[in-house]
Structure formats: C-alpha cells, structure tokens
Amino acid sequence: MQPLWFIFYKDKLLLAKQGEKFAVPAGEEAPVGLSKSSSVMEVGTMDDGTPIKTFALSAPVINDTAFEWIDLRKSFHLLPREHYLKAGKCRELIYWDSNTQYCGTCGTPLRMHTPISKRCPQCGREIWPALSPAIIVLVHKGNEALLVHARNFKGDYYGLVAGFVETGETLEEAVHREVAEETGITITNLRYFGSQPWPYPNGLMVGFEADYVAGNIHLQKEELSHGAWFSKEKLPAVPDKLSIARKMIDHWRTQD
C-alpha cells in the first residue's frame, strides 16, 4: 500500500484537493521535497495496514495548486475521523522530536530508538513523548449547567471549566481543585464521561460530569472573563464539534 503523508508547516497540514473535498496525500514519494531541517518519521499504520509517514517543513513552500495548507483544527471537518486523529498524533510526534534533540543528562544528540522513543548513545537514557493530562468538567445544577468563557478562547463561545492535572494529584482531585479555584463553588458525585487526545500540542483531555453542592460563582479573573448557569433552552455559543467540551454539552442537551 502507498503510504499516507502527513506533512506540516507549524500547525498547518498539507492536504490534497479533490474537487470540493480534501484528503491526506498518498504515494510512494512525498508530494513535496524535504527542507534541510526535515526528517521523515514512520508512525505505524492505519487500521487497514496503510503506512504513515510524517515530517515538517521550515517554510510553507508549495508550488502546486493541487495542494493546500489547512489548519489542523479545521482539518477535523474535512477528513475522516481516523485521518484527523492520525494527523494529531503525527503533529505531537513532530513537536516532541523538535524539542528533544539532545540528552537532558549528558547533552549528547539523541537517536531514534523506536518510532516513539529516543535513546542517548552516550549514557543510554531513553525518552518518550510526554503527555499533559487535563480535566474538563460539566457541572449540573438542577436543569442548568455551568458554562464559562476563558480568556484564552479565540471567540465569543462558552465552554467548560478545565485545567491541567498537577503533579501528585488524582484526576478527581484536579476536578475539585479547578472548579473551586476558577469558580468558587463546590461539587460532588463525579462521573467519568470520556477522554480525547488534544494535540495542541500534547494534551489529553479527561472529561467528567459533577453535581453542584454550594457556593456563588466567583470567577478567577486571570483565567475566566465570564461564567454563569445556563439552561438547555438558552445556551450561548458553544465550542466547535472537534472538542470533547462540545460532545459533553451535546450529550447533556439530549438528556431528559
């Protein structure tokens, strides 16, 4: 089978135009030449055995109108889900590769050991891609849910309370801490919802639902600009469908 080529320039993915549709380029050779700083990484296969290769360019050089650079987030709406997920994995590995060129113990240039690990030829240290786990929580209060607008949102939509898990705490402890820190309320009855890889650049979102216990909303102004309880009938703009936040909100909206 001809390999699929996941080629990046920063956070943009090179896609082949097929009429009104887009696809990940396939072929024995890459559709564009490598730059001096590029190195091809082989990232396993698709479920059907199709090989996956990826690399990054140092400049968005492309002289063929049959291809177009598409923001990775936007590719969610253009590609099959399995291709979008593989694109995210490739982007994470490229990010990891570019930030782990030298051994942190002795400074020797690292070498690839497996498709997802490196080894130092001098001291033998091995490293793997790091994940940054984060929690995200939908808090119920009767028939309403707590929605917030974070200051780092690139739009006017409202999402859910979220934050990174700190060293030494459980996922559940992180949920309670983040809700208390960001909104001042207390919660109970945590239920696991699901998880989602979040390759921007190396996150893993872990979703929970919870029930309100007590407290008035007092927003952490450094993190949030707005927050309130909303009913299903009067929702503000919500996140795009690529996010687990939207999946959790949509699930809540369908419940009796």
Side-chain angles (χ1 to χ4, degrees):
M1 294 182 178
Q2 293 185 330
L4 292 174
W5 292 90
F6 292 85
I7 302 169
F8 288 87
Y9 167 67
K10 295 184 177 179
D11 289 328
K12 295 186 180 296
L13 176 66
L14 186 69
L15 296 181
K17 292 189 286 185
Q18 299 177 344
E20 298 297 319
K21 298 183 178 181
F22 290 85
V24 177
E28 293 301 330
E29 302 294 333
V32 296
L34 279 69
S35 59
K36 292 182 179 180
S37 60
S38 298
S39 59
V40 175
M41 301 178 72
E42 298 187 2
V43 190
T45 65
M46 301 296 293
D47 290 343
D48 64 1
T50 302
I52 299 168
K53 296 187 178 184
T54 188
F55 65 88
L57 295 175
S58 57
V61 178
I62 182 69
N63 298 315
D64 191 335
T65 57
F67 299 94
E68 187 173 328
W69 291 107
I70 301 292
D71 185 85
L72 178 59
R73 292 178 188 244
K74 292 182 179 179
S75 74
F76 170 83
H77 301 283
L78 303 174
L79 297 176
R81 183 174 183 274
E82 61 269 29
H83 285 191
Y84 165 76
L85 292 174
K86 290 296 184 184
K89 179 176 181 177
C90 289
R91 182 66 189 90
E92 288 188 285
L93 287 172
I94 288 172
Y95 177 85
W96 166 72
D97 181 48
S98 66
N99 285 278
T100 55
Q101 295 295 305
Y102 299 93
C103 177
T105 300
C106 67
T108 302
L110 294 169
R111 296 176 183 173
M112 292 299 296
H113 179 54
T114 73
I116 57 169
S117 70
K118 293 183 178 183
R119 175 181 287 174
C120 176
Q122 181 66 30
C123 69
R125 180 185 181 188
E126 295 186 10
I127 63 166
W128 291 264
L131 282 176
S132 299
I135 58 84
I136 185 166
V137 54
L138 190 152
V139 181
H140 298 265
K141 183 182 180 184
N143 294 322
E144 297 179 319
L146 176 62
L147 302 181
V148 297
H149 182 274
R151 294 191 180 277
N152 63 354
F153 285 176
K154 296 179 180 179
D156 295 329
Y157 60 86
Y158 280 62
L160 305 178
V161 172
F164 288 106
V165 180
E166 294 183 356
T167 302
E169 70 179 353
T170 66
L171 295 172
E172 293 80 4
E173 288 170 342
V175 173
H176 284 280
R177 176 182 55 76
E178 285 290 346
V179 171
E181 288 179 354
E182 294 193 2
T183 69
I185 68 173
T186 56
I187 56 174
T188 189
N189 193 24
L190 267 61
R191 289 95 68 192
Y192 174 73
F193 178 86
S195 63
Q196 177 187 35
W198 193 247
Y200 306 104
N202 57 351
L204 175 67
M205 303 298 298
V206 184
F208 289 88
E209 294 184 83
D211 295 329
Y212 168 83
V213 173
N216 296 319
I217 297 175
H218 295 289
L219 298 178
Q220 186 180 38
K221 295 300 184 180
E222 298 82 3
E223 299 286 339
L224 305 177
S225 57
H226 301 284
W229 299 102
F230 291 89
S231 68
K232 300 174 184 178
E233 296 73 29
K234 294 184 179 181
L235 285 179
V238 294
D240 190 81
K241 288 188 176 182
L242 88 154
S243 70
I244 192 172
R246 175 62 177 272
K247 185 179 295 185
M248 295 172 71
I249 293 170
D250 286 349
H251 178 264
W252 165 62
R253 293 170 68 179
T254 64
Q255 302 304 300
D256 295 331

